[in-house]
Amino acid sequence: MKRRTAEPYKIKAVEPLKMLNEQERKEALKKAGYNTFLINSEDVYIDLLTDSGTTAMSDRQWGTLMTGDEAYAGSKSWYKLEQAVKEIYGYNFVIPTHQGRGAENLLSQMKIKEGDYVPGNMYFTTTRAHQELNGATFVDIIIDEAHDSLYDHPFKGNVDLSKLESLIHEVGAEKIPYVCIAVTVNLAGGQPVSMKNMRDVYELCQKHGIDVMYDATRCVENAFFIQEREEGYTDKSIKDILKEMFSYSDGCTMSGKKDCLVNTGGFLAMNDEKLYTRARELVVLYEGMPSYGGLAGRDMEAMAQGIYESIDDNYIKHRIHQVRYLGEQLIEAGIPVVKPIGGHAVFLDAREFLPHLKHEELPAQSLAAALYLDSGVRSMERGIVSGGRNKVTGENNKPKLELVRLTIPRRVYTNNHMDVVADSVISLYEKRDQISGLKMTYEPPTLRFFNARFEPLSPSGELMTNETSSTTT
């Protein structure tokens, strides 16, 4: 008999959840313009919008909040964070930032010039926005299998080396300031990169004098997949795998709000002392002193502690398995999801889920809205709305993957919550032909998915053309 396991933690404090009835959810959704980002959190039952900054911190992390050194310069808490980054990730130099996009801003301004190309293993929204605002063109060099939601590949985040080599030969190495490698790849479904692929990319880039910079936001999850799937790593610790991963790069941006297990914070790390000197100067303009970078001392203390907690093998095993617990229920019910199940979320394939909706009818946005209406579960669109517009033509970017992300916060929910989510998704799938498409009624010029507003395309003006939502009250 297979023995069941439980969470590797116990609960010390609870936060009550509010459960709106169907009519209240309908009103909240309409008020938010059918954009899940604009729904008030108090009106959400189970919040799977993001895993960014939504972690439940440990008792030790809460304890560090009382020992934070709030000195404006040279804070003791900064030196603890710096030491943790150097010890666990192995970089020589560290610049703290208020979160990951602060690090992306610094990196893009320092490395990119007008007319450059930045290749990466699938775009991420804020990363590409910073690159484009500084004059670069993003080029997707991920393997083709990553764009097929049903293809079961152990490392769908891998870079296609032939695509990278072709770009180098086409535009010249001098036009490529760095290669941006996400570990894991969010918009591919939380898919990992193999250690061999990281090594091969680094060797190729070294040959051409091109830097490799990681988006290391979910690096611990990537390390787990290497431990689980790649030959030669089964008996290695997460800590040792991480150190080898980062040895195949020149630096990284980090949103500490994910795998560093905190509610705010990030950093830019590198091995190049000249780049570090420039970053120290630039961070003062945008974030704060190089010894706090927009963070309170207590936040740096909590992040340092979180970095050490994140590499516990028992913690990360439970983390990945909880995501799988939800994903496997949906697969068993015949729900179209990205395979294999990734590290931080289960991704619903909205185009397969809602085949009656055209791409321009925003199937992922419609499905995310319908899920909230059905059960109060908040999720996130990751499709044509998130893709934005081509900066040259103004046309909608049309990513091959049109997804709804069910993102699991770390150490927050139990598997009972996952059961509720599964029941709602399965119920929606059974009445999927009743879900209307949406049209955009307000579109911000940048990162439109955060603040855009929508309304149903149905003649009745209703999202569900036959109001048969869940009976949850």
Side-chain angles (χ1 to χ4, degrees):
M1 181 182 72
K2 184 177 179 180
R3 300 293 292 271
R4 289 177 287 186
T5 60
E7 289 78 8
Y9 54 83
K10 59 183 179 180
I11 298 168
K12 276 192 174 182
V14 297
E15 178 184 349
L17 296 176
K18 184 178 179 181
M19 299 173 65
L20 300 184
N21 63 38
E22 181 181 332
Q23 184 58 36
E24 289 170 333
R25 295 195 300 272
K26 187 175 180 180
E27 292 170 1
L29 187 60
K30 186 175 182 179
K31 181 180 178 182
Y34 297 86
N35 186 344
T36 54
F37 276 95
L38 301 180
I39 300 171
N40 293 336
S41 66
E42 66 175 358
D43 295 334
V44 174
Y45 177 33
I46 298 175
D47 202 345
L48 306 187
L49 183 74
T50 183
D51 61 331
S52 180
T54 56
T55 293
M57 293 201 303
S58 71
D59 54 351
R60 293 184 181 182
Q61 286 178 291
W62 279 103
T64 64
L65 297 184
M66 299 304 297
T67 61
D69 177 7
E70 305 304 339
Y72 188 80
S75 163
K76 292 182 292 184
S77 301
W78 153 241
Y79 292 114
K80 289 183 180 179
L81 174 59
E82 182 186 45
Q83 177 57 34
V85 174
K86 288 182 175 182
E87 178 184 345
I88 302 303
Y89 305 131
Y91 293 116
N92 294 328
F93 306 105
V94 188
I95 295 289
T97 59
H98 75 284
Q99 62 181 72
R101 65 195 59 172
E104 291 173 347
N105 177 41
L106 297 178
L107 178 64
S108 298
Q109 290 207 41
M110 291 188 298
K111 296 284 286 180
I112 292 172
K113 61 184 183 298
E114 188 73 32
D116 278 347
Y117 295 83
V118 179
N121 54 344
M122 199 172 285
Y123 81 97
F124 184 67
T125 51
T126 59
T127 312
R128 187 176 68 184
H130 283 298
Q131 292 165 356
E132 291 179 346
L133 286 170
N134 284 280
T137 298
F138 169 79
V139 181
D140 191 356
I141 55 170
I142 203 167
I143 59 174
D144 291 339
E145 291 87 344
H147 297 285
D148 183 346
S149 65
L150 300 180
Y151 192 87
D152 200 336
H153 185 294
F155 293 104
K156 288 172 83 170
N158 280 356
V159 166
D160 186 323
L161 291 171
S162 64
K163 291 181 182 179
L164 177 55
E165 285 185 293
S166 294
L167 181 66
I168 294 171
H169 293 312
E170 178 184 346
V171 305
E174 69 280 1
K175 285 282 191 179
I176 303 175
Y178 60 94
V179 176
C180 183
I181 306 299
V183 287
T184 58
V185 183
N186 189 347
L187 295 186
Q191 303 298 322
V193 183
S194 73
M195 190 74 80
K196 181 182 185 305
N197 190 250
M198 293 183 219
R199 187 184 310 117
D200 290 344
V201 170
Y202 190 57
E203 289 175 357
L204 175 62
C205 288
Q206 280 193 313
K207 186 171 71 171
H208 292 280
I210 299 171
D211 284 350
V212 175
M213 304 297 291
Y214 287 169
D215 174 349
T217 295
R218 298 179 179 89
C219 58
V220 180
E221 294 173 9
N222 202 105
F224 176 86
F225 287 122
I226 289 173
Q227 184 187 67
E228 181 183 62
R229 299 174 182 175
E230 194 161 357
E231 184 177 356
Y233 291 92
T234 304
D235 297 325
K236 290 194 174 184
S237 69
I238 294 295
K239 181 179 181 180
D240 289 342
I241 293 171
L242 273 178
K243 188 64 72 74
E244 183 179 350
M245 282 172 54
F246 287 108
S247 73
Y248 303 130
S249 70
D250 298 287
C252 80
T253 59
M254 171 66 85
S255 170
K257 298 166 71 174
K258 286 85 167 177
D259 271 355
C260 295
L261 303 179
V262 286
N263 305 127
T264 193
F267 59 81
L268 173 65
M270 71 284 284
N271 293 322
D272 183 341
E273 187 170 5
K274 290 183 178 179
L275 187 66
Y276 169 65
T277 300
R278 291 176 60 198
R280 279 178 58 88
E281 296 164 354
L282 196 59
V283 74
V284 177
L285 182 62
Y286 290 101
E287 304 281 326
M289 283 289 290
S291 58
Y292 76 87
L295 293 172
R298 54 186 174 271
D299 294 323
M300 292 190 287
E301 289 268 0
M303 183 152 56
Q305 176 63 31
I307 288 172
Y308 291 117
E309 291 181 11
S310 73
I311 61 173
D312 176 74
D313 288 67
N314 291 322
Y315 151 73
I316 189 60
K317 181 178 179 180
H318 171 263
R319 161 70 174 158
I320 300 295
H321 284 198
Q322 184 175 54
V323 177
R324 281 185 191 160
Y325 176 78
L326 172 59
E328 287 169 357
Q329 288 191 67
L330 299 182
I331 291 172
E332 186 177 346
I335 307 298
V337 302
V338 173
K339 298 177 182 176
I341 302 299
H344 67 294
V346 178
F347 288 73
L348 307 178
D349 187 329
R351 298 186 78 177
E352 293 293 327
F353 199 112
L354 302 175
H356 61 286
L357 297 184
K358 300 175 183 177
H359 209 170
E360 293 76 11
E361 294 175 316
L362 315 181
Q365 190 72 44
S366 302
L367 181 54
L371 180 61
Y372 174 78
L373 180 60
D374 184 76
S375 60
V377 173
R378 177 158 64 168
S379 59
M380 180 192 294
E381 183 270 358
R382 278 296 181 233
I384 190 171
V385 178
S386 293
R389 292 185 181 273
N390 184 289
K391 68 175 185 177
V392 176
T393 68
E395 296 294 319
N396 282 315
N397 293 316
K398 294 183 179 179
K400 294 180 181 178
L401 294 175
E402 180 77 8
L403 308 174
V404 170
R405 192 180 78 178
L406 307 174
T407 331
I408 317 301
R410 294 162 182 81
R411 306 190 295 204
V412 171
Y413 294 118
T414 69
N415 283 355
N416 285 340
H417 293 100
M418 299 302 102
D419 292 338
V420 171
V421 176
D423 288 347
S424 180
V425 173
I426 293 167
S427 174
L428 274 180
Y429 192 62
E430 292 171 350
K431 55 193 177 190
R432 56 193 179 277
D433 59 339
Q434 300 173 16
I435 299 175
S436 166
L438 294 172
K439 64 179 179 181
M440 200 178 308
T441 58
Y442 168 68
E443 179 179 357
T446 305
L447 297 175
R448 62 188 185 183
F449 62 93
F450 283 124
N451 289 304
R453 300 182 72 85
F454 310 87
E455 63 182 32
L457 286 167
S458 66
S460 66
E462 301 290 348
L463 179 64
M464 301 291 292
T465 55
N466 256 329
E467 291 296 328
T468 54
S469 300
S470 158
T471 57
T472 300
T473 58

